[in-house]
Amino acid sequence: MKTSHTFCMIVLLLSTVAVQAQQKKISTRVFDGIIVAGYTDNGAYINCTGPGVKYIAPKWNLMLGLLPSIKIKEDTSDVKNAMFTPALGFGATLTIFKHLTLQIPTFYTPKTNTNNGRWTLGAGLGYKI
């Protein structure tokens, strides 16, 4: 009798945990399989979503997190920088229709001898693998 009571309690606890796991709407992610290309600061960027916090809704998802990127920009100054520059951005990525993503990233442009450092906004479109 005691064994069946213990078994019933374990089944009840596991079913409660399973039900709570299905209702979870906020989660953390390390990599979500999203690749994005977009425009920022008179140039382009290509990135994949990095670590972040994701809000899950039935028809869309919103992720806020870090965006490891490659910025592509031609330097017009006398002393030229590389055309491809690694950058780490921060921003929001919205996934709709299961695979289409829209992204609003921000990137920091460091201070130089002629310009102050500043944050720049961008916009991108991508695909979730």
Side-chain angles (χ1 to χ4, degrees), residues 88-111:
L88 181 63
F90 177 79
T93 305
L94 177 68
T95 304
I96 53 177
F97 304 120
K98 293 188 181 180
H99 296 287
L100 178 65
T101 60
L102 306 170
Q103 188 178 77
I104 304 294
T106 57
F107 295 101
Y108 184 73
T109 305
K111 181 180 176 180

Side-chain angles (χ1 to χ4, degrees), residues 114-128:
T114 57
N115 295 327
N116 289 327
R118 61 189 164 92
W119 287 92
T120 55
L121 282 175
L125 187 63
Y127 186 78
K128 181 177 179 181

